[in-house]
Amino acid sequence: MLRRAGVVGDPAAHSLSPAIHRAGYEAHGLSWAYDAFTVPPDELEPFIAQRAGDPAWAGLSVTAPHKEAALSFGEADEPTRLVGAGNTIVFGPGPRVYNTDVPGFVRAWRARGLEPPRTAAVVGNGATARSIVLALAGLGTREVTVIARDPGRASALVELIRALGLAAAVSLLGEPVESVDLVANTIPAAATEPHAQSLAGAGRVVFDVVYDPWPTPLGRAASAEGVVALNGLDLLAGQAVDQFYLLTGHTVTFDACRSAAERELRRRGAL
């Protein structure tokens, strides 16, 4: 029987997950198919229910805007519950929902051989920002500043930071940023462009969740400042390691996942 998996989002055609997972199938000689599915929010429940009831389907990767809704489709692991968002649904008699972005960021950070960040500034306050905060707690971070376009909407993220035992502060995007070990951006590149130089100058390391096209304004500013820069490809590869294992029971490496993503971007002319 041909096994199946895929990524669901709105949109999903841009996703690099098919390239990563298919490369893993090829490496292991697995007869699996993996496709991208654009599904609007009001069609998500029947889409998942149909596949969850099909024994050929192992599960789904979940991307925006469905990560919060993913919690409705199975028993959530602890990172998913803490973040309030999941990116992997594993089908079966007892469907489970996982957030592999959290260990994925830790894996991406360690793959670069970087020292643990004691202080960080996180731009944005959505699901990816919450995942990064949880990952930072695991890396030993002690202080996190949330940089928000609307500080009034950052309260839930601040509560999570404090619940994890970390010191929290909130700053308006555009205000001066104190020096930190990490500046992590989770909002669109266009929104950071006017502030890219000051953000890059404040961090020992910069992470920008955006990777297509790369470099982003923040990535260019980091290069000009001589600052180490990670991007969304690092997070994508890092989270795919656990996700691939959860769906198939087989292992892949961070480097293999990142290489597969880079090859696909080059094929698209985006690198």
Side-chain angles (χ1 to χ4, degrees), residues 91 138 163 175 209 237:
F91 299 147
E175 292 181 347
V209 72

Side-chain angles (χ1 to χ4, degrees), residues 121 123-124 147-150 171-177 183-185 187-203 206 208 216-222 225:
V123 184
I147 301 176
R149 289 175 285 185
D150 179 359
S171 177
L172 177 68
L173 181 63
E175 292 181 347
V177 182
V183 172
N185 174 54
I187 65 176
T192 61
E193 186 166 13
H195 318 290
Q197 185 172 356
S198 62
L199 289 170
V206 164
D208 195 338
T216 60
L218 185 56
R220 286 194 295 271
E225 294 282 343

Side-chain angles (χ1 to χ4, degrees), residues 24-218:
Y25 301 158
E26 183 177 358
H28 286 285
L30 299 178
S31 180
W32 283 56
Y34 188 107
D35 298 292
F37 300 92
T38 294
V39 178
D42 60 351
E43 297 176 16
L44 183 64
E45 184 173 358
F47 175 88
I48 292 180
Q50 181 182 15
R51 283 149 187 82
D54 184 340
W57 277 83
L60 288 164
S61 309
V62 182
T63 190
H66 301 319
K67 289 187 176 184
E68 287 87 352
L71 275 72
S72 302
F73 299 102
E75 182 180 350
D77 70 344
E78 185 176 15
T80 301
R81 292 194 299 271
L82 286 170
V83 171
N87 72 338
T88 309
I89 303 173
V90 179
F91 299 147
R96 295 186 61 86
V97 183
Y98 299 88
N99 185 314
T100 67
D101 284 334
V102 175
F105 185 85
V106 173
R107 180 175 286 106
W109 184 271
R110 290 175 174 165
R112 294 293 192 97
L114 299 169
E115 291 294 318
R118 308 298 289 181
T119 58
V122 178
V123 184
N125 52 273
T128 302
R130 297 194 298 273
S131 294
I132 290 173
V133 163
L134 188 53
L136 290 174
L139 284 168
T141 301
R142 292 290 172 243
E143 300 175 14
V144 177
T145 298
V146 180
I147 301 176
R149 289 175 285 185
D150 179 359
R153 300 181 63 183
S155 58
L157 182 56
V158 169
E159 288 178 12
L160 174 61
I161 294 168
R162 291 174 175 159
L164 293 169
L166 314 183
V170 181
S171 177
L172 177 68
L173 181 63
E175 292 181 347
V177 182
E178 293 186 7
S179 295
V180 290
D181 293 329
L182 168 68
V183 172
N185 174 54
T186 68
I187 65 176
T192 61
E193 186 166 13
H195 318 290
Q197 185 172 356
S198 62
L199 289 170
R204 178 173 60 86
V205 178
V206 164
F207 165 73
D208 195 338
V209 72
V210 181
Y211 58 82
D212 185 10
W214 182 264
T216 60
L218 185 56

